[in-house]
Amino acid sequence: MIERSFSRRTFSLAAMVLSLALLFACSRTSAPIKGAPSNRAEHLLRLNMDSSPPSLDPRMATDRNTRTLIKSLFDGLMRLDADAKPQPAIASSVEISSDYKTYTFHLRPSLFSNGEKVTAYDFEHSWKSALDPNFPASYANLFYPIKNAKAAKEGRVATSDIGVTAQDEMTLIVTLDHPTPYFLNLVAHPIYCPVHKATDMSNPKWHHAAGKGFVCNGPFLLVDWAGDERILLKRNPSHWEGVALDGVAISFVKDPQTALLMFENGELDWMGTPFCDLPIDSIPALKEMGILHSFVVSGCYWLDCNTASYPLNSSKLRRALSCALDRKSLLQLIHQPEETLTYTIAPKHSTALAEDSLRANHERANAPILFQEALAELGTTAADLPPLHLMYSDISGQKALAQTIQDQWKEILGITASLELFEWNNFIANLRNHSYQLAGHFYDPAFDDPIYHLEKLKDPATNFTSWNDEPYRTAITLAELTADPSLRHHYLKSAEERLQEELPVIPLMFEEYRWIVNPHLQGVYLTTLGQIELKWAYWD
C-alpha cells in the first residue's frame, strides 16, 4: 500500500509501453483493437475505479467515483452540460421569481425503475430527509441556500419548515433564504437526485444491494454489486431519454500498474481519471505515443494547515511555507503543465486577483524573511521549532509530492517535516477529526462558482483547518446575501485577499485529468468540474 504509486512489478515498463504502442497502432487502422465492441456480444463500457463506493444513496454522495455512479443511476431536476452550465433534466422547465428567492420546477413525465412515476413528492422527501439531523449526508451544506435547511440540519427547526413544497405531483416549489445565483448548479449535484419515497420509507436499507430493490430513475440500473470486486450497470429500458450503451461494467483495482495492464490486455475501455489514476511514470511515454488525453479541471490541490496546532497558528509561518515551495518543480514531478500552477484556491476563470500580484506574494525570496518574522511572533528560534507533520494519502503521486515538499522546506527554511501516510478513507477521517497538522490533497468543487472553495473556509466548525477569521466570514456572508453582481465580486475579492494574508490552506495546482481510451468510444464528455457524463456514450 505504501508503495502503491511507484510499485515495480515483474514486467518491464518499457515492454508495457511498447505493447501499448502496438495496440494503438492497430487501432488507427480498420482492424479493431483488442476487446473492441465488434468482438463482444454486448456493448458494455468497461471501466476501472480505484475503490468501491461506500453507498449509492444520492443523499450520501461523497467522493468523485460515487458521484459518477449516482449520476449514472439517478436523474435530478437539472444536469450540467459540457460547459458545466445547468440544463433541464427531470424538470421540463423552471420559473424564478423577481426577487430570485422562489424557484418553481415543473417535472416532465418519467418513471422509476419499479415502474412508478417520479413525482415532486419524491424530491421533497429526498431533500428533507437528507436534512434530518440524524441522516448521514456529508454534503448537506449544499442544501443550505434553501430556507431553514441549515436550521433543520442543526435541529433548530423541524424538517417540515424547510422551504421545499410539492404543490402537486408535477410541481415543486423551492424557497431560498437569500438570492443564490448558482442555485441551479447546485440542483444539478447528485445529492439533489430523488429517491423513491415509498421504498425509502418502507426499507431504509434499499441502497445496500443491487437488483429490483434498488429503485432508481437514471439511464442505468444496478444489476450487480459484488462488494470491492465489481459493479454492473445495465441500460434502463424505461428511461425518459433513452441510452445507447448496453451497460457499464466496473472493476475495482487499486493498483494503477495492474489496471494499465488490464487496458493493454483489452479488459478496459477507459484507463485513467476521473475513475482512477494512470501510473505517474507511464505519463511521458503515453504522451510521446500520442494516445494520452488530458483536460484541466477546477479541482485544486492544496495543503490544509491545522491552525489550531502549534506552530501553524502563525499566519506568517504558513505564508513562509507557501513561499518556500517551487511549484513548477512540483508540477514537473507529476508531469502536469505549467498552466495548472496556482496561488489561490479560486479557479483561474473566476479569481478576482491578478496573477502578477499573486506571484509576487509567493516569491521564494520572501520565505526566509517571513520565517524569521514568524519565529519572532511565536517567541522561539529555528533550533527550538518542533518538527512539522505532513499527512498524505495512498492516491497515485501523493508520496512523491509529499517527499519533494518535505525536501524544499528543509532546503529553504531548514524546517524538518515528517511524512505520514494514510489509506484514503482514514486520511479523510483524520481531516474531519482535525487529527493532523498539514495535509495535501485535491479538492473537487461541487459547482462552478468562486464561492464554493471560498465558502468552505468560512465556518471553523466545518472547515478542516479550524481557521476562524471574522473579516473573512463577513466578506463571504455579504457575498452570499447580495443580489448585485458587482457587489458580490467586490466581497469575494475581499475574501480572496484576506485568504492570501492568512493562508489557512496553501494552494499549489489545479488538477489535470489524464486518460487513455478505446478509440471506438464516442459521446463521453467531461465538465470543468471534473464530472463525466456517460448517458450519451456510444460505440462507433
Side-chain angles (χ1 to χ4, degrees), residues 3-9 11-13 16-17 48 253-265 268 271 276-282 396:
E3 297 297 325
R4 170 183 163 191
S5 302
F6 300 97
S7 57
R8 294 293 184 266
R9 299 289 181 260
F11 63 85
S12 158
L13 179 62
M16 174 201 70
V17 171
N48 180 68
V253 175
K254 286 189 174 184
D255 181 70
Q257 297 282 13
T258 303
L260 186 56
L261 277 179
M262 291 172 65
F263 184 91
E264 179 192 354
N265 293 332
L268 297 176
M271 171 55 197
C276 62
D277 292 307
L278 284 165
I280 292 296
D281 49 7
S282 72
S396 179

PDB file of all heavy atoms in Angstrom, residues 3-9 11-13 16-17 48 253-265 268 271 276-282 396:
ATOM      1  N   GLU A   3       3.796   1.723  -1.206  1.00  0.00           N
ATOM      2  CA  GLU A   3       4.476   1.944  -2.473  1.00  0.00           C
ATOM      3  C   GLU A   3       3.518   1.883  -3.655  1.00  0.00           C
ATOM      4  O   GLU A   3       3.931   1.713  -4.783  1.00  0.00           O
ATOM      5  CB  GLU A   3       5.576   0.878  -2.669  1.00  0.00           C
ATOM      6  CG  GLU A   3       6.677   0.945  -1.634  1.00  0.00           C
ATOM      7  CD  GLU A   3       7.435   2.244  -1.695  1.00  0.00           C
ATOM      8  OE1 GLU A   3       7.627   2.790  -2.790  1.00  0.00           O
ATOM      9  OE2 GLU A   3       7.833   2.733  -0.619  1.00  0.00           O
ATOM     10  N   ARG A   4       2.245   2.041  -3.376  1.00  0.00           N
ATOM     11  CA  ARG A   4       1.251   1.831  -4.412  1.00  0.00           C
ATOM     12  C   ARG A   4       1.512   2.611  -5.692  1.00  0.00           C
ATOM     13  O   ARG A   4       1.413   2.100  -6.798  1.00  0.00           O
ATOM     14  CB  ARG A   4      -0.126   2.212  -3.866  1.00  0.00           C
ATOM     15  CG  ARG A   4      -1.212   2.262  -4.912  1.00  0.00           C
ATOM     16  CD  ARG A   4      -2.501   2.716  -4.268  1.00  0.00           C
ATOM     17  NE  ARG A   4      -3.424   3.144  -5.299  1.00  0.00           N
ATOM     18  CZ  ARG A   4      -4.543   3.775  -5.050  1.00  0.00           C
ATOM     19  NH1 ARG A   4      -4.854   4.058  -3.825  1.00  0.00           N
ATOM     20  NH2 ARG A   4      -5.344   4.130  -6.017  1.00  0.00           N
ATOM     21  N   SER A   5       1.861   3.894  -5.579  1.00  0.00           N
ATOM     22  CA  SER A   5       2.007   4.731  -6.752  1.00  0.00           C
ATOM     23  C   SER A   5       3.261   4.416  -7.550  1.00  0.00           C
ATOM     24  O   SER A   5       3.326   4.707  -8.732  1.00  0.00           O
ATOM     25  CB  SER A   5       2.058   6.200  -6.329  1.00  0.00           C
ATOM     26  OG  SER A   5       0.899   6.534  -5.619  1.00  0.00           O
ATOM     27  N   PHE A   6       4.281   3.825  -6.917  1.00  0.00           N
ATOM     28  CA  PHE A   6       5.555   3.644  -7.591  1.00  0.00           C
ATOM     29  C   PHE A   6       6.050   2.198  -7.482  1.00  0.00           C
ATOM     30  O   PHE A   6       7.224   1.934  -7.588  1.00  0.00           O
ATOM     31  CB  PHE A   6       6.605   4.598  -6.998  1.00  0.00           C
ATOM     32  CG  PHE A   6       6.183   6.027  -7.157  1.00  0.00           C
ATOM     33  CD1 PHE A   6       5.552   6.684  -6.113  1.00  0.00           C
ATOM     34  CD2 PHE A   6       6.368   6.691  -8.334  1.00  0.00           C
ATOM     35  CE1 PHE A   6       5.127   7.990  -6.259  1.00  0.00           C
ATOM     36  CE2 PHE A   6       5.956   8.006  -8.495  1.00  0.00           C
ATOM     37  CZ  PHE A   6       5.338   8.653  -7.451  1.00  0.00           C
ATOM     38  N   SER A   7       5.094   1.289  -7.249  1.00  0.00           N
ATOM     39  CA  SER A   7       5.494  -0.102  -7.101  1.00  0.00           C
ATOM     40  C   SER A   7       6.025  -0.655  -8.421  1.00  0.00           C
ATOM     41  O   SER A   7       5.632  -0.228  -9.487  1.00  0.00           O
ATOM     42  CB  SER A   7       4.291  -0.940  -6.638  1.00  0.00           C
ATOM     43  OG  SER A   7       3.229  -0.809  -7.539  1.00  0.00           O
ATOM     44  N   ARG A   8       6.929  -1.602  -8.329  1.00  0.00           N
ATOM     45  CA  ARG A   8       7.503  -2.217  -9.513  1.00  0.00           C
ATOM     46  C   ARG A   8       7.028  -3.662  -9.605  1.00  0.00           C
ATOM     47  O   ARG A   8       7.056  -4.399  -8.626  1.00  0.00           O
ATOM     48  CB  ARG A   8       9.035  -2.190  -9.456  1.00  0.00           C
ATOM     49  CG  ARG A   8       9.577  -0.774  -9.509  1.00  0.00           C
ATOM     50  CD  ARG A   8       9.296  -0.148 -10.879  1.00  0.00           C
ATOM     51  NE  ARG A   8       9.885   1.169 -10.978  1.00  0.00           N
ATOM     52  CZ  ARG A   8       9.216   2.288 -10.713  1.00  0.00           C
ATOM     53  NH1 ARG A   8       7.973   2.233 -10.318  1.00  0.00           N
ATOM     54  NH2 ARG A   8       9.808   3.457 -10.858  1.00  0.00           N
ATOM     55  N   ARG A   9       6.564  -4.033 -10.761  1.00  0.00           N
ATOM     56  CA  ARG A   9       6.104  -5.396 -10.974  1.00  0.00           C
ATOM     57  C   ARG A   9       7.203  -6.176 -11.704  1.00  0.00           C
ATOM     58  O   ARG A   9       8.226  -5.631 -12.102  1.00  0.00           O
ATOM     59  CB  ARG A   9       4.814  -5.393 -11.819  1.00  0.00           C
ATOM     60  CG  ARG A   9       3.683  -4.633 -11.115  1.00  0.00           C
ATOM     61  CD  ARG A   9       3.179  -5.432  -9.921  1.00  0.00           C
ATOM     62  NE  ARG A   9       2.096  -4.741  -9.270  1.00  0.00           N
ATOM     63  CZ  ARG A   9       2.224  -4.016  -8.173  1.00  0.00           C
ATOM     64  NH1 ARG A   9       3.397  -3.881  -7.620  1.00  0.00           N
ATOM     65  NH2 ARG A   9       1.194  -3.431  -7.622  1.00  0.00           N
ATOM     66  N   PHE A  11       6.978  -7.200 -14.657  1.00  0.00           N
ATOM     67  CA  PHE A  11       7.036  -6.788 -16.057  1.00  0.00           C
ATOM     68  C   PHE A  11       7.875  -5.525 -16.201  1.00  0.00           C
ATOM     69  O   PHE A  11       8.075  -4.777 -15.266  1.00  0.00           O
ATOM     70  CB  PHE A  11       5.630  -6.553 -16.619  1.00  0.00           C
ATOM     71  CG  PHE A  11       4.879  -5.439 -15.948  1.00  0.00           C
ATOM     72  CD1 PHE A  11       5.056  -4.128 -16.349  1.00  0.00           C
ATOM     73  CD2 PHE A  11       3.990  -5.716 -14.913  1.00  0.00           C
ATOM     74  CE1 PHE A  11       4.358  -3.112 -15.730  1.00  0.00           C
ATOM     75  CE2 PHE A  11       3.319  -4.696 -14.287  1.00  0.00           C
ATOM     76  CZ  PHE A  11       3.493  -3.394 -14.697  1.00  0.00           C
ATOM     77  N   SER A  12       8.349  -5.285 -17.392  1.00  0.00           N
ATOM     78  CA  SER A  12       9.129  -4.091 -17.710  1.00  0.00           C
ATOM     79  C   SER A  12       8.206  -2.998 -18.187  1.00  0.00           C
ATOM     80  O   SER A  12       7.332  -3.228 -19.031  1.00  0.00           O
ATOM     81  CB  SER A  12      10.157  -4.415 -18.793  1.00  0.00           C
ATOM     82  OG  SER A  12      10.574  -3.263 -19.460  1.00  0.00           O
ATOM     83  N   LEU A  13       8.363  -1.782 -17.641  1.00  0.00           N
ATOM     84  CA  LEU A  13       7.552  -0.652 -18.104  1.00  0.00           C
ATOM     85  C   LEU A  13       7.786  -0.395 -19.578  1.00  0.00           C
ATOM     86  O   LEU A  13       6.857  -0.111 -20.336  1.00  0.00           O
ATOM     87  CB  LEU A  13       7.898   0.604 -17.296  1.00  0.00           C
ATOM     88  CG  LEU A  13       7.144   1.882 -17.694  1.00  0.00           C
ATOM     89  CD1 LEU A  13       5.656   1.688 -17.487  1.00  0.00           C
ATOM     90  CD2 LEU A  13       7.644   3.070 -16.878  1.00  0.00           C
ATOM     91  N   MET A  16       5.798  -2.792 -21.505  1.00  0.00           N
ATOM     92  CA  MET A  16       4.376  -2.453 -21.435  1.00  0.00           C
ATOM     93  C   MET A  16       4.039  -1.339 -22.403  1.00  0.00           C
ATOM     94  O   MET A  16       3.064  -1.389 -23.143  1.00  0.00           O
ATOM     95  CB  MET A  16       4.016  -2.038 -20.008  1.00  0.00           C
ATOM     96  CG  MET A  16       2.585  -1.533 -19.862  1.00  0.00           C
ATOM     97  SD  MET A  16       2.396  -0.528 -18.381  1.00  0.00           S
ATOM     98  CE  MET A  16       3.335   0.915 -18.843  1.00  0.00           C
ATOM     99  N   VAL A  17       4.861  -0.290 -22.414  1.00  0.00           N
ATOM    100  CA  VAL A  17       4.611   0.852 -23.297  1.00  0.00           C
ATOM    101  C   VAL A  17       4.714   0.434 -24.751  1.00  0.00           C
ATOM    102  O   VAL A  17       3.934   0.852 -25.601  1.00  0.00           O
ATOM    103  CB  VAL A  17       5.594   1.996 -22.974  1.00  0.00           C
ATOM    104  CG1 VAL A  17       5.496   3.094 -24.010  1.00  0.00           C
ATOM    105  CG2 VAL A  17       5.281   2.566 -21.594  1.00  0.00           C
ATOM    106  N   ASN A  48     -12.444   0.929 -14.806  1.00  0.00           N
ATOM    107  CA  ASN A  48     -11.874   0.536 -13.520  1.00  0.00           C
ATOM    108  C   ASN A  48     -11.896   1.728 -12.576  1.00  0.00           C
ATOM    109  O   ASN A  48     -11.528   2.846 -12.963  1.00  0.00           O
ATOM    110  CB  ASN A  48     -10.434   0.060 -13.661  1.00  0.00           C
ATOM    111  CG  ASN A  48      -9.852  -0.337 -12.310  1.00  0.00           C
ATOM    112  OD1 ASN A  48     -10.268  -1.321 -11.711  1.00  0.00           O
ATOM    113  ND2 ASN A  48      -8.912   0.462 -11.802  1.00  0.00           N
ATOM    114  N   VAL A 253      -9.876  -2.103  -8.967  1.00  0.00           N
ATOM    115  CA  VAL A 253      -8.473  -2.481  -8.838  1.00  0.00           C
ATOM    116  C   VAL A 253      -7.711  -1.255  -8.368  1.00  0.00           C
ATOM    117  O   VAL A 253      -7.687  -0.235  -9.057  1.00  0.00           O
ATOM    118  CB  VAL A 253      -7.899  -2.993 -10.174  1.00  0.00           C
ATOM    119  CG1 VAL A 253      -6.404  -3.266 -10.050  1.00  0.00           C
ATOM    120  CG2 VAL A 253      -8.641  -4.246 -10.623  1.00  0.00           C
ATOM    121  N   LYS A 254      -7.096  -1.336  -7.210  1.00  0.00           N
ATOM    122  CA  LYS A 254      -6.431  -0.168  -6.635  1.00  0.00           C
ATOM    123  C   LYS A 254      -5.115   0.159  -7.319  1.00  0.00           C
ATOM    124  O   LYS A 254      -4.766   1.329  -7.482  1.00  0.00           O
ATOM    125  CB  LYS A 254      -6.188  -0.381  -5.135  1.00  0.00           C
ATOM    126  CG  LYS A 254      -7.440  -0.267  -4.293  1.00  0.00           C
ATOM    127  CD  LYS A 254      -7.090  -0.260  -2.812  1.00  0.00           C
ATOM    128  CE  LYS A 254      -8.326   0.002  -1.962  1.00  0.00           C
ATOM    129  NZ  LYS A 254      -7.985   0.115  -0.525  1.00  0.00           N
ATOM    130  N   ASP A 255      -4.362  -0.863  -7.695  1.00  0.00           N
ATOM    131  CA  ASP A 255      -3.015  -0.620  -8.214  1.00  0.00           C
ATOM    132  C   ASP A 255      -3.086  -0.105  -9.654  1.00  0.00           C
ATOM    133  O   ASP A 255      -3.616  -0.797 -10.541  1.00  0.00           O
ATOM    134  CB  ASP A 255      -2.200  -1.896  -8.163  1.00  0.00           C
ATOM    135  CG  ASP A 255      -0.786  -1.671  -8.670  1.00  0.00           C
ATOM    136  OD1 ASP A 255      -0.019  -0.981  -7.973  1.00  0.00           O
ATOM    137  OD2 ASP A 255      -0.480  -2.147  -9.775  1.00  0.00           O
ATOM    138  N   PRO A 256      -2.558   1.087  -9.946  1.00  0.00           N
ATOM    139  CA  PRO A 256      -2.663   1.649 -11.297  1.00  0.00           C
ATOM    140  C   PRO A 256      -1.863   0.877 -12.337  1.00  0.00           C
ATOM    141  O   PRO A 256      -2.261   0.833 -13.503  1.00  0.00           O
ATOM    142  CB  PRO A 256      -2.137   3.087 -11.125  1.00  0.00           C
ATOM    143  CG  PRO A 256      -1.305   3.065  -9.893  1.00  0.00           C
ATOM    144  CD  PRO A 256      -1.914   2.035  -9.001  1.00  0.00           C
ATOM    145  N   GLN A 257      -0.767   0.249 -11.942  1.00  0.00           N
ATOM    146  CA  GLN A 257       0.003  -0.547 -12.901  1.00  0.00           C
ATOM    147  C   GLN A 257      -0.808  -1.760 -13.358  1.00  0.00           C
ATOM    148  O   GLN A 257      -0.829  -2.101 -14.549  1.00  0.00           O
ATOM    149  CB  GLN A 257       1.321  -1.006 -12.262  1.00  0.00           C
ATOM    150  CG  GLN A 257       2.274   0.118 -11.880  1.00  0.00           C
ATOM    151  CD  GLN A 257       3.025   0.691 -13.075  1.00  0.00           C
ATOM    152  OE1 GLN A 257       2.685   0.430 -14.225  1.00  0.00           O
ATOM    153  NE2 GLN A 257       4.037   1.494 -12.802  1.00  0.00           N
ATOM    154  N   THR A 258      -1.481  -2.403 -12.421  1.00  0.00           N
ATOM    155  CA  THR A 258      -2.321  -3.553 -12.770  1.00  0.00           C
ATOM    156  C   THR A 258      -3.464  -3.126 -13.677  1.00  0.00           C
ATOM    157  O   THR A 258      -3.783  -3.798 -14.665  1.00  0.00           O
ATOM    158  CB  THR A 258      -2.876  -4.212 -11.492  1.00  0.00           C
ATOM    159  OG1 THR A 258      -1.792  -4.600 -10.648  1.00  0.00           O
ATOM    160  CG2 THR A 258      -3.721  -5.430 -11.828  1.00  0.00           C
ATOM    161  N   ALA A 259      -4.076  -1.997 -13.364  1.00  0.00           N
ATOM    162  CA  ALA A 259      -5.178  -1.501 -14.184  1.00  0.00           C
ATOM    163  C   ALA A 259      -4.701  -1.143 -15.590  1.00  0.00           C
ATOM    164  O   ALA A 259      -5.407  -1.370 -16.581  1.00  0.00           O
ATOM    165  CB  ALA A 259      -5.821  -0.294 -13.509  1.00  0.00           C
ATOM    166  N   LEU A 260      -3.495  -0.594 -15.699  1.00  0.00           N
ATOM    167  CA  LEU A 260      -2.950  -0.263 -17.017  1.00  0.00           C
ATOM    168  C   LEU A 260      -2.723  -1.532 -17.839  1.00  0.00           C
ATOM    169  O   LEU A 260      -2.987  -1.568 -19.050  1.00  0.00           O
ATOM    170  CB  LEU A 260      -1.647   0.518 -16.867  1.00  0.00           C
ATOM    171  CG  LEU A 260      -1.020   1.056 -18.167  1.00  0.00           C
ATOM    172  CD1 LEU A 260      -1.997   1.927 -18.929  1.00  0.00           C
ATOM    173  CD2 LEU A 260       0.246   1.842 -17.851  1.00  0.00           C
ATOM    174  N   LEU A 261      -2.262  -2.598 -17.207  1.00  0.00           N
ATOM    175  CA  LEU A 261      -2.114  -3.881 -17.903  1.00  0.00           C
ATOM    176  C   LEU A 261      -3.466  -4.423 -18.358  1.00  0.00           C
ATOM    177  O   LEU A 261      -3.578  -5.028 -19.431  1.00  0.00           O
ATOM    178  CB  LEU A 261      -1.437  -4.892 -16.983  1.00  0.00           C
ATOM    179  CG  LEU A 261       0.101  -4.847 -16.921  1.00  0.00           C
ATOM    180  CD1 LEU A 261       0.617  -5.890 -15.950  1.00  0.00           C
ATOM    181  CD2 LEU A 261       0.695  -5.062 -18.300  1.00  0.00           C
ATOM    182  N   MET A 262      -4.503  -4.203 -17.553  1.00  0.00           N
ATOM    183  CA  MET A 262      -5.843  -4.631 -17.953  1.00  0.00           C
ATOM    184  C   MET A 262      -6.273  -3.918 -19.228  1.00  0.00           C
ATOM    185  O   MET A 262      -6.875  -4.514 -20.122  1.00  0.00           O
ATOM    186  CB  MET A 262      -6.836  -4.346 -16.823  1.00  0.00           C
ATOM    187  CG  MET A 262      -6.664  -5.211 -15.595  1.00  0.00           C
ATOM    188  SD  MET A 262      -7.716  -4.678 -14.209  1.00  0.00           S
ATOM    189  CE  MET A 262      -9.356  -5.006 -14.896  1.00  0.00           C
ATOM    190  N   PHE A 263      -5.943  -2.629 -19.318  1.00  0.00           N
ATOM    191  CA  PHE A 263      -6.263  -1.891 -20.539  1.00  0.00           C
ATOM    192  C   PHE A 263      -5.486  -2.475 -21.715  1.00  0.00           C
ATOM    193  O   PHE A 263      -6.029  -2.695 -22.803  1.00  0.00           O
ATOM    194  CB  PHE A 263      -5.930  -0.410 -20.365  1.00  0.00           C
ATOM    195  CG  PHE A 263      -6.325   0.441 -21.541  1.00  0.00           C
ATOM    196  CD1 PHE A 263      -7.571   1.042 -21.597  1.00  0.00           C
ATOM    197  CD2 PHE A 263      -5.450   0.634 -22.608  1.00  0.00           C
ATOM    198  CE1 PHE A 263      -7.944   1.812 -22.682  1.00  0.00           C
ATOM    199  CE2 PHE A 263      -5.815   1.407 -23.698  1.00  0.00           C
ATOM    200  CZ  PHE A 263      -7.066   1.996 -23.734  1.00  0.00           C
ATOM    201  N   GLU A 264      -4.204  -2.722 -21.502  1.00  0.00           N
ATOM    202  CA  GLU A 264      -3.363  -3.290 -22.563  1.00  0.00           C
ATOM    203  C   GLU A 264      -3.919  -4.621 -23.048  1.00  0.00           C
ATOM    204  O   GLU A 264      -3.886  -4.934 -24.245  1.00  0.00           O
ATOM    205  CB  GLU A 264      -1.940  -3.474 -22.053  1.00  0.00           C
ATOM    206  CG  GLU A 264      -1.006  -4.094 -23.086  1.00  0.00           C
ATOM    207  CD  GLU A 264       0.311  -4.547 -22.484  1.00  0.00           C
ATOM    208  OE1 GLU A 264       0.538  -4.280 -21.286  1.00  0.00           O
ATOM    209  OE2 GLU A 264       1.099  -5.157 -23.203  1.00  0.00           O
ATOM    210  N   ASN A 265      -4.465  -5.417 -22.137  1.00  0.00           N
ATOM    211  CA  ASN A 265      -4.982  -6.739 -22.477  1.00  0.00           C
ATOM    212  C   ASN A 265      -6.401  -6.702 -23.031  1.00  0.00           C
ATOM    213  O   ASN A 265      -7.013  -7.752 -23.238  1.00  0.00           O
ATOM    214  CB  ASN A 265      -4.940  -7.643 -21.245  1.00  0.00           C
ATOM    215  CG  ASN A 265      -3.524  -7.955 -20.807  1.00  0.00           C
ATOM    216  OD1 ASN A 265      -2.612  -7.963 -21.635  1.00  0.00           O
ATOM    217  ND2 ASN A 265      -3.342  -8.189 -19.509  1.00  0.00           N
ATOM    218  N   LEU A 268     -10.273  -3.297 -20.444  1.00  0.00           N
ATOM    219  CA  LEU A 268     -10.851  -1.999 -20.102  1.00  0.00           C
ATOM    220  C   LEU A 268     -10.951  -1.148 -21.354  1.00  0.00           C
ATOM    221  O   LEU A 268     -10.158  -1.289 -22.290  1.00  0.00           O
ATOM    222  CB  LEU A 268      -9.987  -1.267 -19.069  1.00  0.00           C
ATOM    223  CG  LEU A 268      -9.804  -1.889 -17.687  1.00  0.00           C
ATOM    224  CD1 LEU A 268      -8.831  -1.056 -16.861  1.00  0.00           C
ATOM    225  CD2 LEU A 268     -11.144  -2.014 -16.958  1.00  0.00           C
ATOM    226  N   MET A 271      -8.913   4.024 -19.198  1.00  0.00           N
ATOM    227  CA  MET A 271      -7.987   3.882 -18.075  1.00  0.00           C
ATOM    228  C   MET A 271      -7.465   5.265 -17.714  1.00  0.00           C
ATOM    229  O   MET A 271      -6.857   5.949 -18.545  1.00  0.00           O
ATOM    230  CB  MET A 271      -6.819   2.957 -18.456  1.00  0.00           C
ATOM    231  CG  MET A 271      -5.691   2.921 -17.434  1.00  0.00           C
ATOM    232  SD  MET A 271      -6.236   2.488 -15.770  1.00  0.00           S
ATOM    233  CE  MET A 271      -4.847   3.030 -14.784  1.00  0.00           C
ATOM    234  N   CYS A 276      -9.827   6.454 -12.053  1.00  0.00           N
ATOM    235  CA  CYS A 276      -8.650   6.056 -11.295  1.00  0.00           C
ATOM    236  C   CYS A 276      -7.464   6.796 -11.909  1.00  0.00           C
ATOM    237  O   CYS A 276      -7.624   7.512 -12.897  1.00  0.00           O
ATOM    238  CB  CYS A 276      -8.433   4.535 -11.321  1.00  0.00           C
ATOM    239  SG  CYS A 276      -8.149   3.860 -12.974  1.00  0.00           S
ATOM    240  N   ASP A 277      -6.285   6.633 -11.346  1.00  0.00           N
ATOM    241  CA  ASP A 277      -5.109   7.342 -11.841  1.00  0.00           C
ATOM    242  C   ASP A 277      -4.246   6.460 -12.718  1.00  0.00           C
ATOM    243  O   ASP A 277      -4.074   5.270 -12.442  1.00  0.00           O
ATOM    244  CB  ASP A 277      -4.267   7.855 -10.668  1.00  0.00           C
ATOM    245  CG  ASP A 277      -4.971   8.954  -9.897  1.00  0.00           C
ATOM    246  OD1 ASP A 277      -5.402   9.926 -10.531  1.00  0.00           O
ATOM    247  OD2 ASP A 277      -5.099   8.833  -8.660  1.00  0.00           O
ATOM    248  N   LEU A 278      -3.693   7.046 -13.771  1.00  0.00           N
ATOM    249  CA  LEU A 278      -2.638   6.368 -14.511  1.00  0.00           C
ATOM    250  C   LEU A 278      -1.373   6.353 -13.663  1.00  0.00           C
ATOM    251  O   LEU A 278      -1.145   7.273 -12.873  1.00  0.00           O
ATOM    252  CB  LEU A 278      -2.349   7.111 -15.821  1.00  0.00           C
ATOM    253  CG  LEU A 278      -3.364   6.939 -16.955  1.00  0.00           C
ATOM    254  CD1 LEU A 278      -3.141   7.999 -18.022  1.00  0.00           C
ATOM    255  CD2 LEU A 278      -3.271   5.541 -17.556  1.00  0.00           C
ATOM    256  N   PRO A 279      -0.512   5.355 -13.820  1.00  0.00           N
ATOM    257  CA  PRO A 279       0.780   5.390 -13.112  1.00  0.00           C
ATOM    258  C   PRO A 279       1.559   6.632 -13.544  1.00  0.00           C
ATOM    259  O   PRO A 279       1.669   6.926 -14.739  1.00  0.00           O
ATOM    260  CB  PRO A 279       1.473   4.108 -13.580  1.00  0.00           C
ATOM    261  CG  PRO A 279       0.374   3.213 -14.070  1.00  0.00           C
ATOM    262  CD  PRO A 279      -0.670   4.126 -14.622  1.00  0.00           C
ATOM    263  N   ILE A 280       2.084   7.361 -12.598  1.00  0.00           N
ATOM    264  CA  ILE A 280       2.809   8.592 -12.901  1.00  0.00           C
ATOM    265  C   ILE A 280       3.947   8.345 -13.887  1.00  0.00           C
ATOM    266  O   ILE A 280       4.158   9.121 -14.815  1.00  0.00           O
ATOM    267  CB  ILE A 280       3.345   9.233 -11.605  1.00  0.00           C
ATOM    268  CG1 ILE A 280       2.179   9.739 -10.743  1.00  0.00           C
ATOM    269  CG2 ILE A 280       4.297  10.384 -11.922  1.00  0.00           C
ATOM    270  CD1 ILE A 280       1.372  10.845 -11.364  1.00  0.00           C
ATOM    271  N   ASP A 281       4.670   7.237 -13.703  1.00  0.00           N
ATOM    272  CA  ASP A 281       5.830   7.007 -14.552  1.00  0.00           C
ATOM    273  C   ASP A 281       5.462   6.564 -15.966  1.00  0.00           C
ATOM    274  O   ASP A 281       6.336   6.430 -16.820  1.00  0.00           O
ATOM    275  CB  ASP A 281       6.788   5.997 -13.899  1.00  0.00           C
ATOM    276  CG  ASP A 281       6.103   4.741 -13.417  1.00  0.00           C
ATOM    277  OD1 ASP A 281       4.903   4.581 -13.697  1.00  0.00           O
ATOM    278  OD2 ASP A 281       6.756   3.922 -12.749  1.00  0.00           O
ATOM    279  N   SER A 282       4.189   6.347 -16.252  1.00  0.00           N
ATOM    280  CA  SER A 282       3.773   5.999 -17.609  1.00  0.00           C
ATOM    281  C   SER A 282       3.377   7.224 -18.431  1.00  0.00           C
ATOM    282  O   SER A 282       3.242   7.135 -19.656  1.00  0.00           O
ATOM    283  CB  SER A 282       2.591   5.023 -17.563  1.00  0.00           C
ATOM    284  OG  SER A 282       1.400   5.683 -17.151  1.00  0.00           O
ATOM    285  N   SER A 396      -2.292   7.877  -6.169  1.00  0.00           N
ATOM    286  CA  SER A 396      -1.102   7.897  -7.018  1.00  0.00           C
ATOM    287  C   SER A 396      -0.466   9.280  -7.077  1.00  0.00           C
ATOM    288  O   SER A 396      -1.135  10.277  -7.300  1.00  0.00           O
ATOM    289  CB  SER A 396      -1.484   7.458  -8.442  1.00  0.00           C
ATOM    290  OG  SER A 396      -0.370   7.475  -9.296  1.00  0.00           O
TER     291      SER A 396
END
